[in-house]
């Protein structure tokens, strides 16, 4: 099954935080440069040689099947025509392999246009599999099934189909089908925020395509890797990859592929706030889509241009574009495209003052994004909904959307940070294994040479011992370095980069220790009051200064059994195992008073800096962590409601 390159039209992830450490930044930059060099090499490669298992060259349908598979990347309508011609020829001269390949080309075509016809074509391909010589074609059928499930918005079913496609291709030792299935699975993993696993699949797919000399396929895999880095927040490198790929695809006449890449380039520039450059990329994608009759690409390009109009306050022009895109989308089996259009329409309607209509559109988008588990899109939609509800004066609904926005955003950022560290760990472990394998191979070679020499000349025994000792020392040095680096990476993974305090992961691990030992622990959540106002009025550097100042107060209280750390955003936490409620309140009051006494004249231009504190007691039991965080959070909201700059204890703990 051909790659579903149109998936690259999906929206990149919400921007992530900066690289966690200087080590992480250097590693990520090194990887990006390696892939940039790799892309440049691939773009210079000649047209790929088809290395598949072929039917006899004399079959009249073979040439049409091969041309149909190539045309999918440039002129989809030509691909459909050639596949239909191939099927007519196989009806006169049966060949199950060529028939299934032609049907997979049609499945790829109708997956963008008509899910009913696509499933009918897929069923026909499944019926011919038992008599096909190439067993790996089963992986192509499963991959097409996954693409149809994904187009319908059912990512869970799509993931299952891609898993089975990978297994089928591995069992058949069909590298082309395995590379395709790995690409599709890696793409979906990237959409769902599993960046490390997605990159692993993409790189494995790329290696298989290179080995099989499929240059166009390999170029698509590199674009997939660039898109995942884009989702992780490395926009500059992603933009560089997409610019190179777009020039090469246009030069090679791969027009549909170029539409995909140009749209991704526009989305990357949209994330960077470079609106004029984004408009240029979207307009070029729109022009090519209209020229080749690519309705899906045209709809996505109109969505991109509508986003540019929204950013410039051109609300009516945006709605006109979205209306054209909606007419195209109504005939396409793409649930995510319709959700993206609903999100852009909701923003434009609010700009025109049609708030009630805006809420309806945004809620429809939210439902679709939630079903697809697209957290970044959920975050963007909830932010827009919160503002719309506030404009309607529905403060309760606005507050609820803000609460869910923070919850989802924190979860998304935590996942992105975890995936960054996991990606670095995988890269480090892979490099370490390669070095270790090289040393082991060298050791084996030396040992064999030594044995041969011993059989010939006993005098070389001393040389063999010296070589073995040198290798042992090298292996020991490698093991020591790997251990030291692993410890350093673990420490980085447990530390908040801005304040130097333990991060959320470290705090929850420390909280679990007394609970696992059957002991109670007092938990205090400390939240900086009106932190958004500091950022809005003075800028984010001043906000960072405020967070560091509060962190300093908390660090001064963290002695003995008391621990302090940063939960995320403007929230911190104090943990006091075995401490009673009165002592915990006293500690919290000292923190509150110390923060209020900080001199903000220079760093914050005199803006007041205060904190609100919510306290709860964690007791051993099922779901203890989630329960204590919920109760402490409720106490914190009581403190906010009481006017801020105060300490409140959870209701249940006060009663006890």
């Amino acid at each position: 099954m051909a790659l579903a390159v149109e998936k690259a039209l999906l929206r990149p992830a919400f921007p992530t935080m900066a690289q966690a450490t200087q080590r992480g930044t250097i590693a990520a930059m090194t990887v990006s440069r390696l892939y940039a060099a790799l892309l440049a090499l691939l773009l210079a490669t000649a047209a790929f040689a088809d290395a598949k298992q072929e039917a006899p060259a004399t079959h009249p349908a073979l040439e049409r099947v091969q041309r149909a598979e190539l045309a999918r990347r440039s002129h989809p309508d030509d691909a459909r025509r050639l596949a239909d011609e191939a099927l007519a020829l196989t009806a006169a001269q049966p060949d199950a392999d060529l028939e299934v390949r032609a049907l997979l080309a049609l499945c790829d075509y109708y997956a963008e246009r008509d899910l009913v016809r696509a499933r009918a074509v897929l069923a026909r391909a499944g019926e011919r599999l038992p008599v096909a010589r190439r067993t790996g074609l089963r992986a192509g059928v499963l991959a097409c099934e996954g693409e149809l499930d994904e187009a319908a918005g059912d990512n869970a079913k799509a993931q299952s189909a891609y898993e089975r496609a990978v297994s089928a291709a591995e069992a058949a030792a069909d590298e082309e089908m395995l590379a395709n299935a790995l690409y599709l699975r890696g793409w979906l993993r990237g959409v769902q925020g599993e960046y490390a696993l997605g990159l692993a699949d993409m790189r494995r797919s790329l290696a298989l395509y290179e080995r099989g000399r499929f240059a166009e396929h390999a170029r698509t895999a590199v674009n997939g890797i660039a898109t995942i880095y884009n989702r992780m927040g490395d926009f500059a490198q992603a933009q560089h990859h997409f610019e190179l790929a777009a020039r090469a695809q246009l030069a090679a006449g791969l027009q549909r592929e170029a539409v995909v890449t140009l749209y991704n380039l526009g989305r990357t520039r949209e994330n960077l706030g470079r609106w004029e450059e984004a408009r240029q990329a979207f307009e070029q994608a729109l022009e090519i889509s209209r020229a080749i009759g690519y309705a899906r690409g045209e709809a996505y390009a109109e969505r991109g241009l509508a986003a540019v109009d929204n950013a410039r306050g051109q609300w009516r022009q945006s709605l006109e574009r979205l209306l054209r895109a909606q007419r195209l989308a109504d005939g396409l089996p793409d649930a995510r495209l319709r959700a993206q259009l609903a999100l852009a329409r909701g923003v434009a309607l609010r700009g025109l003052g049609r708030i009630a209509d805006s809420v309806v559109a945004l809620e429809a988008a939210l439902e679709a994004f939630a079903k697809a588990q697209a957290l970044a899109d959920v975050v963007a939609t909830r932010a827009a909904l919160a503002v719309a509800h506030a404009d309607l004066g529905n403060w309760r609904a606005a507050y609820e959307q803000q609460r869910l926005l923070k919850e989802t955003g924190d979860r998304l950022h935590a996942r992105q940070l975890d995936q960054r560290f996991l990606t670095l760990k995988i890269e480090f472990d892979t490099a370490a294994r390669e070095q270790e394998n090289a040393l082991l191979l060298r050791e084996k070679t030396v040992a064999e040479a030594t044995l041969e020499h011993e059989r010939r000349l006993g005098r070389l025994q001393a040389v063999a011992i010296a070589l073995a000792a040198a290798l042992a020392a090298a292996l020991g040095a490698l093991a020591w370095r790997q251990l030291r680096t692993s410890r350093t990476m673990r420490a980085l993974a447990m530390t908040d980069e801005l304040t130097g305090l333990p991060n959320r992961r470290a705090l929850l691990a420390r909280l679990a220790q007394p609970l696992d030992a059957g002991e109670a622990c007092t938990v205090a959540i400390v939240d900086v009051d009106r932190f958004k106002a500091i950022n809005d009025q003075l800028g984010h550097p001043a906000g960072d200064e405020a967070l560091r100042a509060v962190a300093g107060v908390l660090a001064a209280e963290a002695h003995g059994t008391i621990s302090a750390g940063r939960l995320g955003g403007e929230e911190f936490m104090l943990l006091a195992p075995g401490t009673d409620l009165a002592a915990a309140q006293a500690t919290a009051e000292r923190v509150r008073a110390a923060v209020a006494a900080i001199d903000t004249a220079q760093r914050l231009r005199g803006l007041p800096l205060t904190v609100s504190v919510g306290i709860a007691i964690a007791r051993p039991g099922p779901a203890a962590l989630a329960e204590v965080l919920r109760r402490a959070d409720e106490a914190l909201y009581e403190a906010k409601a009481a006017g801020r700059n105060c300490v409140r204890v959870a209701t249940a703990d006060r009663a006890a």
Side-chain angles (χ1 to χ4, degrees):
M1 179 68 186
L3 292 178
V5 293
E6 65 276 11
K7 288 196 192 66
L9 292 171
L10 302 180
R11 182 182 187 276
F14 204 73
T16 60
M17 64 182 69
Q19 296 290 352
T21 62
Q22 185 179 9
R23 183 188 299 271
T25 302
I26 294 171
M29 289 173 62
T30 301
V31 172
S32 297
R33 287 168 183 157
L34 286 174
Y35 276 101
L38 178 59
L39 178 60
L41 177 63
L42 289 173
L43 297 179
T45 305
F48 69 89
D50 196 339
K52 298 178 284 215
Q53 303 175 27
E54 298 291 5
T58 55
H59 197 292
L62 175 60
E63 183 263 349
R64 285 174 173 80
V65 168
Q66 292 173 329
R67 287 171 58 196
E69 290 173 341
L70 288 173
R72 285 182 299 187
R73 301 179 179 278
S74 53
H75 296 85
D77 288 333
D78 289 346
R80 177 192 54 77
R81 177 181 54 79
L82 289 165
D84 284 335
E85 292 175 2
L87 289 174
L89 292 170
T90 57
Q93 184 178 334
D95 187 293
D97 285 41
L98 291 177
E99 185 177 351
V100 171
R101 287 172 58 186
L103 289 168
L104 290 179
L106 286 176
C107 184
D108 179 76
Y109 177 86
Y110 288 120
E112 294 184 332
R113 296 162 175 83
D114 188 336
L115 284 184
V116 174
R117 292 193 68 174
R119 293 197 184 279
V121 167
L122 184 63
R124 184 176 166 188
E127 292 170 358
R128 298 294 289 156
L129 279 179
V131 294
R133 298 181 303 278
R134 183 178 177 184
T135 57
L137 290 173
R138 173 173 171 76
V141 171
L142 289 168
C144 182
E145 178 184 335
E147 290 180 270
L148 300 184
D149 290 332
E150 193 172 352
D154 194 339
N155 285 352
K157 286 185 66 177
Q159 182 72 19
S160 174
Y162 294 152
E163 295 285 358
R164 287 181 285 135
V166 169
S167 298
E170 288 176 334
D174 191 324
E175 291 192 348
E176 182 191 8
M177 291 297 166
L178 177 58
N180 289 349
L182 286 168
Y183 173 85
L184 294 171
R185 187 176 72 175
W187 179 267
L188 185 56
R189 282 174 165 174
V191 170
Q192 295 176 326
E194 298 176 348
Y195 305 125
L197 295 176
L199 283 173
D201 278 350
M202 287 286 188
R203 290 170 184 165
R204 188 179 170 195
S205 172
L206 177 61
L208 290 170
Y209 283 139
E210 288 182 294
R211 189 159 67 194
R213 298 180 63 81
F214 300 107
E216 271 65 32
H217 295 66
R219 188 179 295 124
T220 300
V222 171
N223 278 348
I225 291 170
T227 301
I228 292 182
Y229 273 103
N230 185 39
R231 292 177 180 278
M232 296 173 70
D234 194 355
F235 302 127
Q237 287 298 329
Q239 178 178 241
H240 176 66
H241 290 322
F242 291 138
E243 287 173 345
L244 287 176
R247 285 196 294 270
Q249 289 162 349
L250 290 171
L254 302 176
Q255 293 179 305
R256 191 184 77 162
E257 295 275 345
V259 169
V260 173
T261 304
L262 286 167
Y263 180 82
N264 276 331
L265 175 60
R267 290 295 290 141
T268 303
R269 290 171 173 174
E270 186 178 334
N271 286 332
L272 290 168
R274 298 166 66 172
W275 297 107
E276 179 56 26
E277 294 178 21
R279 182 189 61 78
Q280 294 172 5
F282 291 139
E283 285 183 344
Q284 192 174 2
L286 180 63
E287 180 181 355
I288 297 173
S289 296
R290 288 174 174 170
I292 64 174
Y294 187 24
R296 190 178 192 183
E298 186 176 348
Y300 270 103
E302 289 281 16
R303 187 227 65 85
L305 289 169
V308 174
D309 290 338
N310 282 340
R312 293 174 169 176
Q314 297 171 342
W315 316 114
R316 294 191 182 281
Q317 182 170 309
S318 173
L319 284 178
E320 291 173 1
R321 290 189 183 280
L322 292 169
L323 181 60
R324 291 195 293 270
Q326 189 63 54
R327 293 195 189 104
L328 294 165
D330 287 341
L332 300 174
D334 192 330
R336 184 160 180 145
L337 168 59
R338 288 189 288 275
Q340 290 283 2
L341 294 177
L343 173 56
R345 186 165 55 254
V347 174
L349 288 170
R350 178 182 171 273
L352 290 173
R354 296 167 56 184
I355 311 302
D357 293 339
S358 171
V359 169
V360 171
L362 293 172
E363 287 179 345
L366 180 61
E367 181 180 358
F369 290 142
K371 180 180 178 182
Q373 301 177 355
L375 290 185
D377 294 321
V378 169
V379 167
T381 309
R382 288 201 186 282
L385 266 174
V387 176
H389 281 305
D391 289 345
L392 285 174
N394 190 348
W395 305 112
R396 183 179 297 277
Y399 172 81
E400 180 64 11
Q401 289 298 331
Q402 283 284 7
R403 184 185 68 79
L404 293 172
L405 168 64
K406 185 178 186 305
E407 177 182 307
T408 308
D410 288 347
R411 188 162 73 252
L412 174 64
H413 284 292
R415 175 186 291 182
Q416 289 170 334
L417 182 59
D418 289 344
Q419 290 292 315
R420 282 174 180 269
F421 278 111
L422 182 56
T423 301
L424 291 174
K425 183 179 186 303
I426 290 174
E427 292 168 355
F428 171 79
D429 289 345
T430 300
R433 281 196 299 271
E434 290 174 352
Q435 292 180 18
E436 184 177 1
N437 289 338
L439 287 173
L440 291 174
L441 182 61
R442 192 180 308 165
E443 183 181 16
K444 178 182 176 182
T445 303
V446 171
E448 290 175 350
T450 301
L451 289 174
E452 179 65 23
H453 284 220
E454 282 181 346
R455 285 192 293 267
R456 296 181 180 182
L457 297 170
R459 293 173 301 182
L460 295 179
Q461 182 177 8
V463 177
I465 294 173
L467 287 172
L471 287 170
L475 288 172
L478 178 62
W480 174 80
R481 182 175 179 180
Q482 182 175 355
L483 177 62
R484 183 183 65 177
T485 306
S486 297
R487 288 175 176 172
T488 301
M489 291 181 69
R490 176 173 175 78
L492 291 172
M494 304 295 279
T495 304
D496 176 63
E497 61 174 326
L498 177 64
T499 63
L501 293 176
N503 62 13
R504 181 187 185 91
R505 186 184 300 106
L507 285 169
L508 295 182
R510 293 184 186 183
L511 176 56
Q513 290 175 0
L515 296 178
D516 291 342
E519 298 178 7
C521 181
T522 303
V523 175
I525 296 180
V526 181
D527 186 275
V528 179
D529 295 329
R530 296 184 175 87
F531 182 71
K532 185 177 183 302
I534 296 176
N535 277 337
D536 291 346
Q537 295 181 39
L538 304 180
H540 288 281
D544 290 347
E545 284 292 326
L547 292 176
R548 281 191 284 266
V550 173
V553 173
L554 291 168
E557 287 293 334
H559 53 77
T561 61
I562 298 177
S563 300
R566 185 184 179 195
L567 277 177
E570 65 270 25
E571 285 191 349
F572 298 82
M573 179 184 283
L574 280 169
L575 301 177
T579 302
D580 60 16
L581 198 56
Q585 285 184 272
T587 301
E589 284 291 347
R590 286 198 302 274
V591 168
R592 184 200 61 75
V595 171
I598 293 174
D599 183 6
T600 61
Q602 292 187 1
R603 290 188 292 184
L604 301 180
R605 300 180 188 174
L607 278 181
L609 181 61
T610 62
V611 295
S612 299
V613 185
I615 300 175
I617 298 177
R619 296 181 176 84
L625 288 176
E627 179 62 18
V628 72
L629 292 177
R630 181 186 65 78
R631 290 188 291 107
D633 204 47
E634 290 176 353
L636 176 61
Y637 281 123
E638 290 181 18
K640 294 289 186 181
R644 299 181 174 84
N645 191 22
C646 61
V647 177
R648 290 293 183 271
V649 178
T651 305
D653 296 319
R654 289 202 302 267

